[in-house]
């Protein structure tokens, strides 16, 4: 294992080997290759509005610090003192002033990582210290991109550029930001943090799995509809009827929603309309949008009701609700899901109230819809240990001539986006693999 | 229950808080729902010391419809995450009665609680501070609001399926 052919053999057109979910070795390769070769979401620049503000997070299994430098740019540094390995920042967020100072031996670094000072430095004279790689300072990641406030980074210095990697999929983030009359977002509070004992890719696949809601969520959405009807279908409908009940929509509805896939593993449900299309209008919002953009453009922005957009490898964005879910891998069978919502600057407060409500009703560890989903993931994680088959099926509406390097729009119940993700998975797992293996041998 | 308006005591308030916890522990959810005013809200903040329940994410901010939905869902034939069912256990410190205004029919308590929830081989322990707003409605004490603050609300949790 570890050669690109071994990785390629795990994905065969319409099926994927169970090891991609349960093998610790594969997980280690994902951390070393997939999460180093791809552009990974870190956060939003409104989390660090002032110089010296930082936020600690991770890219794959690498702890990093996202910090606003004195030039007002966001820098991303590996969260390790080059001296003894001590983590420089422990709290999730804070302000470090003009420099980081390691709490162990007081080595200090500018917020772009450059070494600033070492106490009693004369002790290193004539030791060859200055030739040591570790004295360069805190190591920056390979590349950072601030896209309309969203911060992405690539660990490897070499690789596919940001625009080429995401291509036209950036239209979902554009739509999310364009929905703000002032054209920008602000983070609204901390994220929900929901621990899942399953592989991170199960969450990713579920985002465009349109044949599960009416089955797995019958307990929540079906019961909501039953209670509502027992109450005599009152108007205005309770918020849960706007948010949870559409999960019970029939197969035909989800077929008609449509799915679009883009190259490099990105894609979205809700091409034509979605379960987010039938929300009550919020007074004053359309007017604010018309003032900002003119009526025609305002309508174009607001008529786009995409459901879930996958930004490969591990986030999902909901444009109409200004929400990002980050599927953070912690082990082959452990994933932390962080669900964020953002305020549309210039929009009425009811918009962020709606996003916050959706977030707690659907994405919280206390959410009944969340309970429905997690039960399925954890059962799958356990069921995949059985030796009856090595393969997980992704065959719905499969065509042998599928070309994932081209954008495509298809029936909303296709599993093409899941196949698209594994096509990209193979590509970015193996992107630097043969090279590294050759170096090692 | 007799009309409480005339001669309600602090002990009546405290007994009510204990009885509510016992109903949850014994799974007497229909009785528990009947303790609530229709306008009552169950709030569990996400951020430590969160002040705004609506314009930032909360863990729970449940109206009567959502509470009823939760309760009915627990017994649903296709509620797979409750096969087998979860169980819970509350240990209460004696509630402080912070507001006692019988003439207005308004009361508020503050209660420290250790809450245990279990299903299959998993068991979690949560440390809670619970604030109850109570009112007298039609001669009976009712829950007008319940705020449940988790000591570690900013931690990552697996499922919390029942209502602390
Ligand atoms: Fe689901």
């Amino acid at each position: 294992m570890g050669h690109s052919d071994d990785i390629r053999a795990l994905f065969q057109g319409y099926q994927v080997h169970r090891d991609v979910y349960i093998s610790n070795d594969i997980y280690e390769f994902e951390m070393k290759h997939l999460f180093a070769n791809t552009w990974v979401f870190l956060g939003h620049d409104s989390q660090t509005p002032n110089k010296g503000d930082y936020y600690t997070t991770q890219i794959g299994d690498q702890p990093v610090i996202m910090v606003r430098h004195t030039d007002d740019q966001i820098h991303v540094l590996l969260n390790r003192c080059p001296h003894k390995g001590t983590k420089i920042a422990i709290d999730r967020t804070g302000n470090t002033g003009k420099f980081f100072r390691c709490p162990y031996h007081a080595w200090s670094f500018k917020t772009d990582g450059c070494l600033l000072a070492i106490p009693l430095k004369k002790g290193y004279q004539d030791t060859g210290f200055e030739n040591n790689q570790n004295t360069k300072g805190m190591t920056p990641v390979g590349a950072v991109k601030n896209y309309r406030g969203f911060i992405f980074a690539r660990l490897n210095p070499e690789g596919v550029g940001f625009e080429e990697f995401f291509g036209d999929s950036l239209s979902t983030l554009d739509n999310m930001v364009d929905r703000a009359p002032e054209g920008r977002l602000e983070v609204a509070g901390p994220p929900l943090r929901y621990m899942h004992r399953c592989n991170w890719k199960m969450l990713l696949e579920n985002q465009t799995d349109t044949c599960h809601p009416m089955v797995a969520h019958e307990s929540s959405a079906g019961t909501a509809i039953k209670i509502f009807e027992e109450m005599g279908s009152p108007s205005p409908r309770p918020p849960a009827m706007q948010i949870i009940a559409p999960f019970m929509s029939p197969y035909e509805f989800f077929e008609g929603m449509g799915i679009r896939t883009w190259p490099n593993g990105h894609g979205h449900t809700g091409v034509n309309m979605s379960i987010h299309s039938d929300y009550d209008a919020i007074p004053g919002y359309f007017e604010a949008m018309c003032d900002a953009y003119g009526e025609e453009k305002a309508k174009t922005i607001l008529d786009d009701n995409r459901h879930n957009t996958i930004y490969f490898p591990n986030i999902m964005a909901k444009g109409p609700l200004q929400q990002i879910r980050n599927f953070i891998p912690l082990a082959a069978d452990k994933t932390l899901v962080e669900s964020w919502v953002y305020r549309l600057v210039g929009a009425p407060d009811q918009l962020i109230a709606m996003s916050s409500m959706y977030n707690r009703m659907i994405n919280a560890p206390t959410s009944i819809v969340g309970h429905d989903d997690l039960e399925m993931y954890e059962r799958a994680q356990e069921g995949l240990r059985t030796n009856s088959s090595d393969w997980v099926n992704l065959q719905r509406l499969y065509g042998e001539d599928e070309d994932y390097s081209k954008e495509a729009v298809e029936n909303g119940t296709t599993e093409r986006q899941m196949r698209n993700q594994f096509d990209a998975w193979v590509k970015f797992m193996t992107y630097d693999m043969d090279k590294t293996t050759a170096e090692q041998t | 229950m007799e009309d409480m308006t005339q001669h309600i005591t602090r002990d009546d308030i405290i007994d009510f808080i204990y009885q509510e916890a016992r109903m949850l522990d014994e799974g007497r959810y229909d009785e528990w729902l009947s303790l609530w005013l229709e306008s009552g809200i169950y709030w569990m903040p996400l951020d430590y010391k969160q002040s705004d329940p609506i314009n930032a994410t909360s863990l729970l901010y449940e109206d009567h419809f959502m509470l009823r939905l939760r309760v009915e869902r627990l017994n649903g034939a296709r509620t797979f995450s409750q096969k087998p069912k979860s169980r819970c256990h509350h240990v209460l410190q004696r509630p402080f009665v912070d507001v006692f205004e019988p003439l207005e029919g308004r009361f508020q308590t503050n209660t420290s609680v250790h809450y245990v929830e279990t299903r299959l081989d998993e068991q979690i322990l949560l440390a809670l501070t619970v604030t109850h707003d109570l009112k007298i409605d039609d001669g009976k004490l009712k829950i007008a609001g319940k705020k449940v603050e988790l000591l570690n609300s900013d931690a990552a949790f697996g499922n919390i399926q029942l209502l602390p």
Side-chain angles (χ1 to χ4, degrees):
Chain A
M1 182 55 67
H3 294 273
S4 52
D5 286 343
D6 300 328
I7 295 295
R8 283 189 193 95
L10 296 169
F11 174 50
Q12 300 184 344
Y14 55 83
Q15 60 184 5
V16 64
H17 197 283
R18 61 176 170 147
D19 280 356
V20 308
Y21 305 101
I22 60 175
S23 154
N24 293 325
D25 290 341
I26 301 279
Y27 177 81
E28 293 302 327
F29 281 115
E30 286 180 338
M31 295 304 107
K32 194 170 164 198
H33 298 284
L34 181 71
F35 279 83
N37 291 325
T38 47
W39 286 88
V40 177
F41 171 78
L42 293 182
H44 192 266
D45 70 358
S46 63
Q47 290 170 249
T48 55
N50 303 308
K51 289 170 186 172
D53 283 352
Y54 66 86
Y55 171 70
T56 58
T57 176
Q58 66 288 306
I59 301 175
D61 61 356
Q62 299 295 295
V64 298
I65 308 176
M66 169 180 129
V67 59
R68 195 175 287 265
H69 187 49
T70 44
D71 64 0
D72 222 27
Q73 300 299 304
I74 304 283
H75 289 245
V76 180
L77 311 170
L78 292 171
N79 192 353
R80 175 201 200 273
C81 182
H83 180 204
K84 300 279 190 188
T86 316
K87 252 184 164 181
I88 295 289
I90 288 292
D91 38 3
R92 289 195 190 116
T93 187
N95 183 290
T96 193
K98 285 201 166 63
F99 59 91
F100 286 111
R101 179 178 182 273
C102 178
Y104 199 176
H105 301 94
W107 288 28
S108 59
F109 312 91
K110 292 186 208 165
T111 44
D112 60 1
C114 292
L115 183 65
L116 191 63
I118 294 176
L120 204 64
K121 201 169 181 185
K122 65 184 177 189
Y124 291 109
Q125 263 170 28
D126 308 322
T127 65
F129 177 75
E130 62 280 5
N131 303 321
N132 189 325
Q133 185 63 28
N134 288 351
T135 63
K136 297 266 190 314
M138 292 169 68
T139 310
V141 297
V144 179
K145 173 75 180 180
N146 181 342
Y147 186 78
R148 303 195 69 180
F150 293 104
I151 309 298
F152 291 83
R154 193 187 61 219
L155 278 174
N156 279 348
E158 311 287 327
V160 178
F162 179 85
E163 307 284 346
E164 186 193 338
F165 182 72
F166 285 121
D168 290 337
S169 74
L170 292 169
S171 51
T172 292
L173 289 183
D174 286 336
N175 180 260
M176 194 192 293
V177 180
D178 288 345
R179 283 169 173 265
E182 292 185 23
R184 64 193 172 89
L185 304 177
E186 274 175 5
V187 68
L192 289 162
R193 305 178 70 237
Y194 192 176
M195 197 65 83
H196 285 54
R197 282 182 316 177
C198 68
N199 188 270
W200 63 277
K201 295 186 293 302
M202 290 185 184
L203 280 134
L204 200 66
E205 284 153 41
N206 190 61
Q207 305 308 307
T208 61
D209 183 326
T210 48
C211 287
H212 90 282
M214 65 297 285
V215 182
H217 299 302
E218 185 184 342
S219 82
S220 304
T223 308
I225 291 168
K226 178 178 145 276
I227 295 173
F228 182 66
E229 285 170 355
E230 279 169 17
M231 290 166 69
S233 308
S235 180
R237 55 189 170 164
M241 287 305 294
Q242 275 194 73
I243 288 177
I244 299 178
F247 285 62
M248 273 317 271
S249 304
Y251 289 110
E252 300 72 47
F253 177 88
F254 288 99
E255 287 189 302
M257 258 174 44
I259 283 183
R260 177 184 279 122
T261 71
W262 291 288
N264 294 331
H266 319 299
H268 79 97
T269 42
V271 177
N272 309 306
M273 46 81 200
S274 78
I275 59 168
H276 306 313
S277 298
D278 188 30
Y279 292 157
D280 298 342
I282 286 168
Y285 177 49
F286 183 62
E287 291 75 3
M289 287 293 284
C290 288
D291 288 349
Y293 294 104
E295 186 172 335
E296 196 181 337
K297 182 154 186 224
K299 275 191 175 144
T300 309
I301 294 167
L302 298 177
D303 281 349
D304 191 336
N305 282 304
R306 292 180 188 184
H307 174 225
N308 292 341
T309 300
I310 298 294
Y311 286 100
F312 190 77
N314 68 324
I315 65 165
M316 182 275 276
K318 266 189 197 301
L321 286 159
Q322 302 84 54
Q323 180 185 102
I324 283 190
R325 302 187 73 203
N326 190 2
F327 310 119
I328 300 164
L330 298 177
D333 60 356
K334 197 171 177 192
T335 304
L336 172 61
V337 183
E338 290 191 341
S339 300
W340 298 85
V341 288
Y342 303 91
R343 180 188 302 277
L344 297 169
V345 179
D349 275 351
Q350 287 102 308
L351 273 291
I352 188 61
M354 179 74 179
S355 303
S356 305
M357 178 160 61
Y358 190 96
N359 209 20
R360 70 173 181 260
M361 277 190 185
I362 307 298
N363 300 328
T366 38
S367 154
I368 53 179
V369 174
H371 302 156
D372 292 335
D373 280 326
L374 180 51
E375 179 71 14
M376 298 308 131
Y377 307 143
E378 292 186 346
R379 287 191 193 199
Q381 193 72 33
E382 292 185 21
L384 285 175
R385 288 194 216 137
T386 56
N387 294 328
S388 55
S389 169
D390 274 336
W391 298 97
V392 172
N393 188 281
L394 309 168
Q395 206 159 3
R396 186 178 284 280
L397 296 174
Y398 171 67
E400 273 184 19
D401 54 350
E402 281 183 341
D403 178 359
Y404 306 111
S405 70
K406 303 263 187 325
E407 180 179 325
V409 173
E410 294 193 1
N411 178 302
T413 57
T414 182
E415 288 173 339
R416 179 182 169 122
Q417 171 56 17
M418 302 177 201
R419 299 186 287 271
N420 185 39
Q421 283 158 199
F422 278 107
D423 178 71
W425 185 85
V426 170
K427 175 176 174 181
F428 291 102
M429 280 287 268
T430 58
Y431 192 82
D432 61 343
M433 198 171 262
D434 294 325
K435 194 172 128 232
T436 357
T437 328
E439 279 166 8
Q440 279 163 357
T441 47
Chain B
M1 210 186 291
E2 64 176 314
D3 190 322
M4 301 192 82
T5 319
Q6 298 307 314
H7 42 77
I8 192 163
T9 66
R10 284 172 184 265
D11 272 352
D12 292 329
I13 304 293
I14 291 166
D15 286 348
F16 181 91
I17 301 299
Y18 279 108
Q19 279 160 12
E20 190 230 357
R22 186 171 177 182
M23 284 178 197
L24 289 170
D25 288 353
E26 295 177 356
R28 289 149 54 204
Y29 285 108
D30 291 336
E31 257 181 279
W32 180 77
L33 270 183
S34 75
L35 297 180
W36 285 79
L37 286 177
E38 288 269 337
S39 57
I41 296 280
Y42 185 122
W43 180 29
M44 186 186 284
L46 169 64
D47 204 2
Y48 190 66
K49 302 295 177 194
Q50 181 175 344
S51 58
D52 186 340
I54 294 172
N55 296 310
T57 306
S58 296
L59 285 160
L60 294 169
Y61 188 77
E62 309 263 296
D63 61 13
H64 200 261
F65 184 89
M66 276 303 293
L67 292 179
R68 190 172 156 195
L69 171 53
R70 267 176 198 281
V71 165
E72 292 206 15
R73 178 184 171 276
L74 288 177
N75 294 318
R78 289 180 176 158
T79 305
F80 305 110
S81 78
Q82 283 297 297
K83 292 181 183 299
K85 287 187 186 306
S86 304
R87 295 189 289 263
C88 73
H89 188 257
H90 291 73
V91 178
L92 278 64
Q93 183 166 279
R94 186 174 188 272
F96 295 103
V97 181
D98 286 340
V99 175
F100 185 76
E101 293 175 356
L103 293 178
E104 317 285 326
R106 247 168 33 89
F107 313 91
Q108 191 183 73
T109 59
N110 174 292
T111 314
S112 296
V113 178
H114 281 191
Y115 171 78
V116 176
E117 187 176 306
T118 184
R119 178 175 177 252
L120 293 167
D121 292 332
E122 292 299 310
Q123 181 164 291
I124 54 165
L125 169 66
L126 299 172
L128 322 172
T129 303
V130 184
T131 307
H132 282 85
D133 282 300
L134 305 178
K135 284 187 178 155
I136 290 180
D137 179 66
D138 201 16
K140 294 191 185 76
L141 269 178
K142 295 273 182 173
I143 304 173
K146 178 173 176 178
K147 177 175 156 190
V148 176
E149 292 171 281
L150 306 183
L151 184 65
N152 61 341
S153 65
D154 49 358
F157 300 106
N159 279 345
I160 302 172
Q161 293 210 56
L162 302 180
L163 286 160

